[in-house]
Amino acid sequence: MKNYSRILLALVAVFAFTFSNAQDLPKTGAVIRVDADKVQLVPGETFETTLTIVRSKADRKTKFETPVVQEMEGLHASVSATDQADTYLLRLTPTTLLEGTHLLIIKGSGPNRRYLTSKALSVKMTDGESLASVDQ
C-alpha cells in the first residue's frame, strides 16, 4: 500500500509540474515578457531590463527579429540582442521626457511580427527622488 501512495504522489507531482509549465506558454504565436512591468525613471539615469520572447509549442521554430520600441518624444529606447536565444536587453534613457506616467509599446518586427504579441510597459518619469524600478 505504501508503494501505491508513493507512485500516486509522484504522478501528481509530475502532472502539477507539467501543467504549471504549460500555463507559462502562449497557446499560439509568441509573447514578449519583460522583467519589470512598471518602470520608474529618473533624469540622467539609464534603466535596463530584460525582454524575453516566450513561444508556443507550435511556434518553436518560427524566426523572430529583435523587438522594437515605439518612438516616444523625450525618451531614448533601444533593444539589443544578448548571448541567449530569444533574450534581449531593453535600455531606457530619458532625455526630455515630461514628468508623469507614459505607456511604452514593445512589438515584434520582421516578417513574422504578426505572431508576436506586443507588450505594454508603464513608464513613470519622476523628478529624481525615486527608485530605478518599481515591480508592484
Side-chain angles (χ1 to χ4, degrees):
M1 194 61 145
K2 272 186 168 181
N3 286 339
Y4 290 120
S5 297
R6 289 182 185 163
I7 292 171
L8 182 59
L9 183 60
L11 287 173
V12 168
V14 168
F15 177 76
F17 178 76
T18 303
F19 185 72
S20 69
N21 282 344
Q23 292 291 346
D24 293 337
L25 299 177
K27 292 184 188 234
T28 60
V31 296
I32 299 171
R33 298 255 167 88
V34 182
D35 282 351
D37 284 338
K38 297 178 183 179
V39 174
Q40 194 161 333
L41 299 177
V42 178
E45 292 184 13
T46 297
F47 175 81
E48 295 181 349
T49 190
T50 303
L51 304 177
T52 307
I53 295 177
V54 180
R55 302 162 180 268
S56 67
K57 288 183 180 179
D59 286 290
R60 283 184 296 211
K61 295 183 180 180
T62 302
K63 294 186 191 249
F64 295 106
E65 293 181 14
T66 302
V68 295
V69 179
Q70 75 176 28
E71 299 274 329
M72 183 182 294
E73 188 175 333
L75 180 67
H76 176 70
S78 66
V79 179
S80 56
T82 65
D83 293 339
Q84 296 177 335
D86 291 336
T87 304
Y88 302 88
L89 182 64
L90 170 66
R91 283 189 181 95
L92 302 174
T93 306
T95 54
T96 59
L97 188 63
L98 298 175
E99 267 189 59
T101 303
H102 308 273
L103 193 62
L104 186 67
I105 305 296
I106 305 163
K107 54 188 175 182
S109 66
N112 294 321
R113 68 181 173 269
R114 67 183 172 276
Y115 300 114
L116 185 58
T117 302
S118 298
K119 176 69 177 175
L121 185 64
S122 176
V123 175
K124 183 176 183 182
M125 185 64 193
T126 65
D127 60 4
E129 300 291 325
S130 306
L131 300 173
S133 85
V134 179
D135 287 326
Q136 299 172 358

